[in-house]
Amino acid sequence: MSQLAVLVQKDARVIYRDRFLLLMCLYAFLLALLMRNILPMIPVDHLSFYCAPLVISFAPMLLGSVLGFALIEEREQGTWLLLRVLPLPPAMLFGYVAASAWLTSGLTAAAAAALYGLPVAKPGVFLLMLLATCLTAPITMLSLGALASNKVEGLVVAKTINVMAMAPILIFTVPVAWHPLVWWSPFYWIYLGLLDAYATNPAWLGLYRRRA
């Protein structure tokens, strides 16, 4: 337990010292509140419904980016080497890093969903998709930590992941016959799953097919 506490304190210290990273952690909550109050003013039918999955999926990606840049900062400063003094095998350390990102992003996404305030039609589906969505946090974090040796390279990697995350937009911009082109993206299936969880009216799920 003491070893786990050391790791938690280390991660909290890195994020707290970097005010930009701390602000990014709070940005998911701010975005949820802004979308909750602004979207109803836009004259587009069911816009709040179609944007709800974005609020959920944005939080894990943002938190994964925060933790990923924290890993890059530790590499640049050499503080990651200090973990070698802890009697932890690499597998356990890797498990902690991935599990902490997954759990923290789950809490962040759930809090963002609560702030957004849209009723959930299928709680079971919502919970399942929330757990799946949160996997993007450790994936994003580890991708940044493994592929970027500095923060400039980290921005490039983060931008690439963000482009992949834009796949759900194609649901409403291209005919359904073209959707298989983005089946490779997990963000596509996450969006559809969350959309189904929020659909209090099943007819809303068919609106994006109008371009077919």
Side-chain angles (χ1 to χ4, degrees), residues 13 23 121 135 192:
R13 190 182 306 113
L23 179 61
L135 291 175
L192 290 183

Side-chain angles (χ1 to χ4, degrees), residues 51-204:
C51 289
L54 303 180
V55 175
I56 308 301
S57 58
F58 178 78
M61 280 197 59
L62 182 62
L63 187 60
S65 298
V66 170
L67 297 176
F69 278 105
L71 287 180
I72 295 174
E73 182 175 343
E74 289 182 351
R75 176 187 296 174
E76 291 179 336
Q77 296 179 353
T79 56
W80 181 258
L81 298 176
L82 298 177
L83 295 179
R84 293 182 178 178
V85 303
L86 293 176
L88 289 175
M92 183 176 296
L93 182 59
F94 175 83
Y96 160 77
V97 172
S100 61
W102 180 75
L103 178 60
T104 307
S105 66
L107 296 176
T108 303
L115 290 174
Y116 190 62
L118 191 69
V120 174
K122 301 177 181 178
V125 175
F126 176 81
L127 179 59
L128 179 62
M129 296 311 303
L130 178 64
L131 296 176
T133 303
C134 294
L135 291 175
T136 60
I139 292 174
T140 301
M141 175 192 65
L142 295 174
S143 297
L144 287 169
L147 301 177
S149 58
N150 54 61
K151 290 185 178 180
V152 175
E153 294 180 2
L155 289 174
V156 176
V157 175
K159 291 295 183 181
T160 303
I161 296 175
N162 289 338
V163 170
M164 296 172 58
M166 299 298 288
I169 293 179
L170 296 179
I171 294 176
F172 302 98
T173 57
V174 301
V176 174
W178 289 69
H179 287 190
L181 295 178
V182 291
W183 281 0
W184 56 268
S185 174
F187 298 99
Y188 173 85
W189 301 105
I190 287 173
Y191 180 85
L192 290 183
L194 288 172
L195 207 63
D196 181 57
Y198 273 109
T200 54
N201 186 346
W204 296 349

